[in-house]
Amino acid sequence: MSVAEQREATLQQPPTLLPPLDVLRHVVDVHCHPTDSDVTTEAMDTLAITICAMSSRPADQSLVRGLANAYPEKVVPCFGYHPWFSHWISVSPNVTKEEHYRPLFSPSGEHQKMFERLLPHLPDPIPLADVLAELRRNLSSFSQAMLGEVGLDRAARVPIDYAATPRELTHFIVPLEHQLAILEPQIDLAVEFYRNISIHSVKSQQATMALLDRMRQKHGSKWHRISIDLHSCGLSVETWKAIEKRHLNVYMSLSTVINGRSPNHRALIEACSPSRILVESDYHPVERCAERTWEMVLTVAEIKGWAIETTWTEDLRAEDWGAVRRLERNWQEFQKGNHEVNPLRPVARQTP
Ligand SMILES: [Zn+2]
């Protein structure tokens, strides 16, 4: 959803009633994009929850850095390159635009013209080595920083001009092999620094499964020290269950913005282990992050049959915990990492 669409949608909806501040301050929005919109001091000063602020492309890494420096207790900075911008990055250094983009999209026949129109709008390719060097700097500067938003997307078509509204889309999709070539070294860095990851996965269920298996095998015990969040999770219930069982360090988070549109999210919440679920807004205007995240807290509470805290009491028996306390505990376990290792069995054959 674009910023304009989000603003529009926000105006049309009556505000969701938020709980008292002593409850709200235990809520964590595990995935949002505040720097995609104007972040005002007022909005940040009144922000009552913790947010995980994602970056996605070259321009916003420093914005997230700035936000985290200004509000260290409220912002978990997340650095990384989103699959929608992965074509801007070239694996080999010193290549021209033409040398980088033409083989990437291999335009033929009728798509030639489209490619000629697109090329002037595309930035000079950024060498992967530069991207990784900056990511390394950012992860070393913030001990709490995560890798995000990164991932795989086999549905996103490259727009002629990302900044234009409405966006005119081409037929080009960034090939999965290129997405992986940009993603995997970022994940390697996250593992090296023992950092958690926020992953975007759209129309890439099998590729995501294979990636998790490969990373687990490649990184061995180090892999289990970190946690992975499949954000705005759109997997089928079957795929999620398989991942949940196979990878004890993988969590799912849901948003009303993305998941609320599909009835599948209720089935996913139902299927998800109560200890592996997180909530997010996936929103841009930070003024609305608490509200959007709270809506998902309410949905999860309803489906899981959890009570909702109306006041905060410190000493409660686990069986009396409400949704906020349970989700907070999940977040703490996510952050702590060091997950149990289960034996890796061959994947059961799945029907398509
Ligand atoms: Zn996102």
Side-chain angles (χ1 to χ4, degrees), residues 31-33 54 56 82 149 198 200 231-232 258 280 282-284:
H31 187 110
C32 59
H33 296 265
M54 299 292 142
S56 58
H82 194 285
E149 177 175 358
S198 191
H200 166 114
H231 111 85
S232 285
I258 302 295
E280 60 165 295
D282 204 10
Y283 225 56
H284 302 182

Side-chain angles (χ1 to χ4, degrees), residues 17-29 32 40-52 71 73-75 285-294 297 312 324 328:
L17 212 56
L18 290 172
L21 286 180
D22 62 337
V23 173
L24 203 53
R25 68 186 179 81
H26 295 273
V27 171
V28 181
D29 178 353
C32 59
T40 64
T41 313
E42 198 202 338
M44 285 308 295
D45 288 344
T46 50
L47 181 71
I49 61 170
T50 302
I51 57 169
C52 299
Y71 298 92
E73 337 65 47
K74 293 184 181 184
V75 176
V286 75
E287 293 86 345
R288 292 285 173 260
C289 283
E291 211 174 298
R292 292 287 97 86
T293 307
W294 185 249
V297 172
W312 196 260
V324 176
E328 183 185 42

Side-chain angles (χ1 to χ4, degrees), residues 16-312:
T16 302
L17 212 56
L18 290 172
L21 286 180
D22 62 337
V23 173
L24 203 53
R25 68 186 179 81
H26 295 273
V27 171
V28 181
D29 178 353
V30 302
H31 187 110
C32 59
H33 296 265
T35 62
D36 273 9
S37 181
D38 292 328
V39 188
T40 64
T41 313
E42 198 202 338
M44 285 308 295
D45 288 344
T46 50
L47 181 71
I49 61 170
T50 302
I51 57 169
C52 299
M54 299 292 142
S55 54
S56 58
R57 52 191 182 275
D60 61 8
Q61 313 288 323
S62 61
L63 299 178
V64 168
R65 209 161 52 218
L67 193 65
N69 276 326
Y71 298 92
E73 337 65 47
K74 293 184 181 184
V75 176
V76 176
C78 307
F79 302 102
Y81 290 78
H82 194 285
W84 291 356
F85 307 100
S86 59
H87 57 295
W88 293 359
I89 304 168
S90 66
V91 175
S92 20
N94 306 318
V95 285
T96 64
K97 278 172 82 166
E98 182 76 34
E99 285 165 347
H100 170 64
Y101 291 109
R102 191 174 287 278
L104 194 60
F105 296 127
S106 33
S108 57
E110 44 164 343
H111 300 321
Q112 286 283 359
K113 259 207 202 117
M114 189 63 108
F115 180 75
E116 301 301 337
R117 268 188 65 210
L118 171 66
L119 195 60
H121 291 279
L122 292 171
D124 284 327
I126 315 155
L128 177 61
D130 292 3
V131 160
L132 295 175
E134 194 196 19
L135 186 57
R136 180 178 283 281
R137 269 197 306 277
N138 283 331
L139 292 181
S140 7
S141 327
F142 297 90
S143 58
Q144 294 295 315
M146 289 170 52
L147 175 69
E149 177 175 358
V150 296
L152 298 172
D153 194 319
R154 299 182 85 173
R157 292 190 288 148
V158 173
I160 293 274
D161 178 0
Y162 180 77
T165 24
R167 277 183 209 142
E168 187 192 347
L169 299 177
T170 65
H171 291 93
F172 305 120
I173 288 179
V174 183
L176 186 69
E177 308 77 69
H178 182 78
Q179 295 189 31
L180 285 166
I182 304 306
L183 172 61
E184 291 198 14
Q186 296 188 77
I187 294 183
D188 292 348
L189 264 187
V191 175
E192 184 188 326
F193 283 89
Y194 297 118
R195 298 311 170 80
N196 303 326
I197 311 178
S198 191
I199 290 191
H200 166 114
S201 168
V202 171
K203 286 239 161 69
S204 318
Q205 303 208 50
Q206 293 311 315
T208 303
M209 286 269 266
L211 173 77
L212 292 172
D213 277 6
R214 206 160 54 246
M215 291 297 103
R216 175 183 169 149
Q217 253 155 356
K218 178 175 180 183
H219 296 292
S221 59
K222 281 183 164 181
W223 180 246
H224 292 87
R225 284 186 58 177
I226 69 166
S227 307
I228 317 296
D229 174 38
L230 295 180
H231 111 85
S232 285
C233 183
L235 298 172
S236 70
V237 167
E238 293 67 36
T239 305
W240 166 257
K241 278 184 168 165
I243 289 179
E244 186 185 83
K245 218 158 113 192
R246 205 167 163 77
H247 299 280
L248 301 181
N249 58 344
V250 179
Y251 290 66
M252 77 153 78
S253 60
L254 297 146
S255 65
T256 45
V257 176
I258 302 295
N259 301 109
R261 297 183 202 153
S262 139
N264 179 51
H265 79 286
R266 298 183 69 91
L268 269 173
I269 295 171
E270 217 172 291
C272 186
S273 151
S275 61
R276 305 277 283 279
I277 192 161
L278 299 165
V279 285
E280 60 165 295
S281 70
D282 204 10
Y283 225 56
H284 302 182
V286 75
E287 293 86 345
R288 292 285 173 260
C289 283
E291 211 174 298
R292 292 287 97 86
T293 307
W294 185 249
E295 286 165 358
M296 194 41 81
V297 172
L298 297 181
T299 305
V300 171
E302 182 212 321
I303 294 168
K304 289 293 192 197
W306 296 342
I308 294 157
E309 291 86 343
T310 47
T311 55
W312 196 260

